[in-house]
Amino acid sequence: MGQSDGPRGTTGAGSGHTSGRSTRCIALIGPFLSGKTTLLEAILARTGAIPRAGAVADKTSVGDASPEARDHSMSVELNIADANFLGDTFTFVDCPGSIEFQYEGAGALTACDAAVVVSEPDPKRVPALQVILKQLEDRGIPHLLFLNKIDACTTPIREIIPALQPASTKPLVLRQIPIWENGVATGFIDLALERAFLFRKNAPSEMVEIRAADIEREKEARFHMLEQLADYDDDLMEALLSDAAPENGMVFADLSREFEHGLICPVLIGSAQNGSGILRLLKAIRHEVPFVETTARRLKVENAKSAAFVLKTLHTGHGGKLSIARVLTGELPDGASVSGGEAVEERVAGVHALKGEETQKRAAAQAGDTVALGRLDGVRTGDTITAEKSGIVQIAAPRPPEPVLASGIGLKDRKDEVKLSSALGKLIEEDPSLVIEHNKDTHQVLLKGQGEMHLRVAFERLKRKYGVVVDRQKRQVPYKETIRKPIEIRGRHKKQSGGHGQFGDVVLTIRPQPRGAGFAFDDTITGGVVPKQFIPSVEIGVADYMKHGPLGFPVVDVAVTLTDGSFHTVDSSDMAFRQAGRLAMSEGLPKCQPVLLEPVMAVEISVPSEATARVNGLISQRRGQILGFDARDGWPGWDVVSAHIPEAEIEDLIVELRSATAGVGTYTAAFDHLAELTGRLADQVLISHGEAAE
């Protein structure tokens, strides 16, 4: 986010609803390194919200101001900033581009009025663009595409748009074409206005006459744009068929309507680094982005007297918990009692504007405003809250993706256990795509997330924000063991230590079970050779030993039958027979050919089709078994590969998978079965386990 502990807000001079119209909220979203934070900087500079644009590389930008973002030179959280443009107020929400941090933006998108998708004009971006555009299309969020870094592009725009079209199920409608000078884009022609503009670095573009050499190209591109718009407007289609030139008012009305209804994805061009094309982008946003009332209807809360969606939770060192929320209907004043989600009723302890690295108290938040609400302890990210006593139906928010990488947490100082527990709770409140798991098999505490950088940033925040220093540990694989052959064995526990002694005597038949059958215990005792009241104790002793078998792992898929035994009327007891059962197992199981079992996962890998062959190779390298592949439902040009892969081989699968798919591949995994592990690999596991135990 744009401050050390949260989203950075910046408000231009004269902020407020200067036009009397509600604040609109715009998400800046796009693939990793496409220039979103630089675009935010350019917008803030152009609107006067900041004196001049900073630079991400120089660590002077409004966004990416947290130590983690600065250290890694990438967005790792939301950057939020306000700006005024021609009397209207806008909140811009800059969302991280890395797939590891994309859930950060997914929740925020819910309450945005529209999204600007930022991408380089590069066909290699299609898979990453498709991931983003599909989310916007599925959720009905109006969006336009801003082709950034146009000054570095050397490919004709007429080739770029068809190459990018597979990323969108909606027509990409080009609204501007570049003016080329010696192979470099030096300006653009606005196809709706039919005017030409030359870029000026970090200044508004200069309007010029359309060059004679560009007139034919402009006419051709404009007609194609009008044809695309006419697919949704019969009057425009009729005008085109009769060779009548449509009025600009009709063209702009169509652009606005078809954008708002999600029928098209308009495409604009520019260079955020040089401040080029920013003014035309802002004018398109101002003219075409719907207001909060439309968003409230989309989210089905238009009839609520008050409703706000929580798009982010923060824990600050000075202000406690803050809930960043966008008000969709009504108003939320300081002191208002609100409810929603799991929160029954809580009082707002301050309404704050986000400004710079500080929060400033402000008046009641009106519909459209994005504010920080103080100390709503029961409210979570993704909750819909209201001041109405009757409560409110929750807006459907996206669920966090399944984690794909895990790391063990080891405390350097045991005294920090309580501190760690509190810090992890706050960390997950701030980022619900992190998961804490207490593994019952390995007794390891795991932090699970969306990739290596995601986990690295989480550990850095633990240290910086909460002062908890932990050791990152390799995730342990929950191996098991079983047996291959049966045995009959006697276990006799006899002890005399003055007074009453201890005596228990059992004969057990131990035999292997089919894989997955689990543990079974029964008895065939007759004639009371082992009294009935002691039989459950024998089972407890047997089960005790199976927690830690001869190879050092929990024992599974074994059946044990108590067939015979003897007792002493005075010295026999529950404890004695428990010890006898355990003794019989400890002597018998090592003679049953114990064998190591490893967990095998059912894995579904989703990748662009051109990467499927490489993914099949990755599976084979990891001792996996390919079960088949199919087209990914609803994702043209993508496949889902199904496979069985040992859990031990999944540890860093996501790293190689993303490397093979330009960062967009992902997978889900669930336990499927246990399989025998023998030979060198089994020996390595046993050696490692023995060293860890020591």
Side-chain angles (χ1 to χ4, degrees):
M1 285 187 197
Q3 62 180 48
S4 58
D5 288 327
R8 176 162 179 147
T10 301
T11 307
S15 81
H17 305 167
T18 55
S19 67
R21 304 200 292 186
S22 60
T23 300
R24 282 174 280 183
C25 188
I26 316 296
L28 305 180
I29 189 169
F32 182 48
L33 296 177
S34 58
K36 298 174 295 300
T37 304
T38 303
L39 177 60
L40 174 65
E41 205 73 15
I43 288 170
L44 297 179
R46 185 54 48 83
T47 57
I50 55 177
R52 62 186 181 85
V56 174
D58 297 337
K59 307 185 190 303
T60 57
S61 58
V62 169
D64 293 356
S66 73
E68 292 80 21
R70 293 276 200 245
D71 289 347
H72 300 296
S73 299
M74 63 185 291
S75 298
V76 298
E77 52 203 341
L78 299 177
N79 300 305
I80 301 176
D82 289 345
N84 289 325
F85 180 64
L86 299 180
D88 282 0
T89 308
F90 298 89
T91 298
F92 290 95
V93 182
D94 170 26
C95 305
S98 166
I99 196 168
E100 298 187 29
F101 298 94
Q102 278 187 4
Y103 183 71
E104 183 85 4
L109 277 171
T110 303
C112 288
D113 300 315
V116 175
V117 181
V118 186
S119 176
E120 296 103 318
D122 184 352
K124 292 178 183 175
R125 288 298 200 174
V126 166
L129 263 181
Q130 187 178 11
V131 171
I132 291 161
L133 292 174
K134 185 172 191 331
Q135 178 185 181
L136 295 167
E137 291 164 359
D138 289 349
R139 299 172 69 184
I141 299 169
H143 53 279
L144 62 83
L145 179 61
F146 181 74
L147 292 182
N148 192 22
K149 308 178 187 179
I150 195 68
D151 50 328
C153 178
T154 57
T155 306
I157 198 80
R158 64 177 178 273
E159 295 178 17
I160 290 168
I161 297 302
L164 296 179
Q165 184 61 63
S168 174
T169 63
K170 309 300 180 185
L172 298 181
V173 177
L174 186 64
R175 290 188 50 170
Q176 300 165 339
I177 58 172
I179 296 173
W180 299 100
E181 193 74 48
N182 298 322
V184 177
T186 58
F188 66 91
I189 300 172
D190 188 303
L191 300 177
L193 286 172
E194 293 191 280
R195 291 176 184 169
F197 298 85
L198 292 181
F199 294 141
R200 294 192 300 167
K201 190 169 183 177
N202 297 320
S205 299
E206 177 189 357
M207 190 165 69
V208 295
E209 291 291 325
I210 299 177
R211 299 180 308 188
D214 292 325
I215 289 175
E216 198 59 40
R217 192 165 63 93
E218 184 273 336
K219 283 183 178 179
E220 181 184 332
R222 174 177 164 86
F223 186 76
H224 181 60
M225 177 190 76
L226 295 176
E227 281 186 316
Q228 289 178 296
L229 297 178
D231 286 339
Y232 307 98
D233 182 349
D234 291 342
D235 291 338
L236 179 58
M237 179 65 77
E238 190 175 324
L240 294 180
L241 291 174
S242 60
D243 292 328
E247 294 181 1
N248 275 359
M250 174 187 282
V251 175
F252 279 109
D254 275 357
L255 283 167
S256 295
R257 182 180 60 82
E258 293 173 21
F259 167 77
E260 179 181 327
H261 293 166
L263 301 173
I264 61 171
C265 176
V267 181
L268 287 84
I269 62 175
S271 168
Q273 187 73 43
N274 295 325
S276 302
I278 306 304
L279 195 60
R280 298 311 308 171
L281 173 64
L282 285 167
K283 287 186 175 181
I285 289 171
R286 181 177 182 270
H287 184 258
E288 289 157 30
V289 168
F291 286 86
V292 68
E293 294 80 7
T294 301
T295 303
R297 282 195 299 275
R298 169 168 60 82
L299 299 174
K300 298 180 171 56
V301 294
E302 71 274 20
N303 295 323
K305 291 180 181 176
S306 75
F309 181 81
V310 179
L311 45 100
K312 179 69 181 173
T313 300
L314 296 173
H315 288 276
T316 64
H318 55 280
K321 179 177 175 178
L322 294 175
S323 300
I324 311 302
R326 186 173 192 222
V327 182
L328 297 165
T329 64
E331 70 170 22
L332 282 180
D334 188 7
S337 292
V338 298
S339 61
E342 295 180 8
V344 179
E345 187 170 305
E346 304 205 37
R347 189 173 294 276
V348 175
V351 179
H352 306 270
L354 299 159
K355 186 173 185 179
E357 294 190 357
E358 304 296 328
T359 55
Q360 283 191 346
K361 277 212 166 189
R362 54 157 285 169
Q366 308 295 326
D369 293 344
T370 301
V371 294
L373 304 174
R375 300 187 185 278
L376 299 178
D377 291 334
V379 172
R380 300 287 180 265
T381 300
D383 284 352
T384 310
I385 58 175
T386 181
E388 291 185 61
K389 297 292 184 185
S390 57
I392 193 167
V393 175
Q394 294 295 294
I395 292 168
R399 294 174 60 85
E402 291 294 317
V404 293
L405 193 66
S407 184
I409 301 175
L411 269 177
K412 291 194 172 181
D413 189 337
R414 303 299 297 178
K415 292 184 295 186
D416 283 342
E417 276 190 8
V418 174
K419 195 176 177 182
L420 173 64
S421 179
S422 171
L424 288 174
K426 291 177 180 177
L427 200 67
I428 289 167
E429 262 202 288
E430 290 188 332
D431 184 355
S433 64
L434 290 167
V435 175
I436 291 294
E437 178 187 308
H438 297 264
N439 191 286
K440 61 180 175 52
D441 290 315
T442 62
H443 308 293
Q444 213 181 11
V445 178
L446 297 173
L447 181 62
K448 305 169 86 171
Q450 304 306 314
E452 171 56 33
M453 185 59 72
H454 190 216
L455 291 181
R456 189 184 306 175
V457 167
F459 281 108
E460 290 169 357
R461 283 184 181 146
L462 271 180
K463 181 179 179 180
R464 175 182 66 84
K465 290 186 69 172
Y466 305 110
V468 181
V469 181
V470 298
D471 283 323
R472 281 193 69 174
Q473 300 173 339
K474 188 173 181 180
R475 184 189 59 166
Q476 297 171 17
V477 177
Y479 292 102
K480 304 285 194 298
E481 60 179 278
T482 191
I483 57 174
R484 285 175 166 169
K485 74 172 192 176
I487 196 172
E488 184 174 82
I489 192 84
R490 179 179 290 275
R492 175 174 289 195
H493 176 67
K494 185 175 182 180
K495 193 173 183 181
Q496 194 70 39
S497 56
H500 284 309
Q502 296 180 33
F503 182 84
D505 175 38
V506 298
V507 177
L508 302 180
T509 298
I510 306 169
R511 61 189 183 279
Q513 290 244 83
R515 193 70 63 244
F519 168 60
F521 179 88
D522 63 356
D523 72 272
T524 56
I525 296 298
T526 57
V529 291
V530 176
K532 283 187 177 181
Q533 69 267 29
F534 295 140
I535 293 176
S537 298
V538 177
E539 181 177 359
I540 291 171
V542 168
D544 274 349
Y545 178 77
M546 290 180 62
K547 293 175 185 174
H548 194 82
L551 301 181
F553 297 96
V555 182
V556 297
D557 300 338
V558 169
V560 177
T561 302
L562 172 61
T563 60
D564 202 358
S566 62
F567 72 101
H568 189 279
T569 54
V570 175
D571 292 345
S572 288
S573 64
D574 284 323
M575 182 54 70
F577 272 99
R578 180 172 176 171
Q579 288 296 100
R582 183 180 178 85
L583 186 63
M585 293 296 288
S586 67
E587 292 181 2
L589 228 56
K591 301 172 183 176
C592 295
Q593 290 185 4
V595 62
L596 195 63
L597 296 175
E598 66 172 347
V600 176
M601 313 298 281
V603 181
E604 287 199 341
I605 302 175
S606 299
V607 293
S609 299
E610 63 265 23
T612 300
R614 292 196 296 277
V615 167
N616 289 344
L618 285 179
I619 294 169
S620 299
Q621 291 165 17
R622 293 168 181 267
R623 298 189 289 123
Q625 177 190 2
I626 298 169
L627 304 178
F629 72 94
D630 206 346
R632 188 179 184 186
D633 190 32
W635 288 75
W638 283 63
D639 289 334
V640 177
V641 182
S642 300
H644 283 159
I645 305 177
E647 185 174 345
E649 301 288 346
I650 289 182
E651 179 65 24
D652 61 348
L653 172 64
I654 192 63
V655 177
E656 286 198 39
L657 183 58
R658 288 188 175 145
S659 175
T661 60
V664 298
T666 190
Y667 75 88
T668 58
F671 173 77
D672 190 80
H673 65 279
L674 292 168
E676 289 189 9
L677 183 65
T678 59
R680 182 177 56 84
L681 290 173
D683 293 341
Q684 289 174 350
V685 170
L686 295 175
I687 291 169
S688 299
H689 188 69
E691 290 173 349
E694 289 173 12

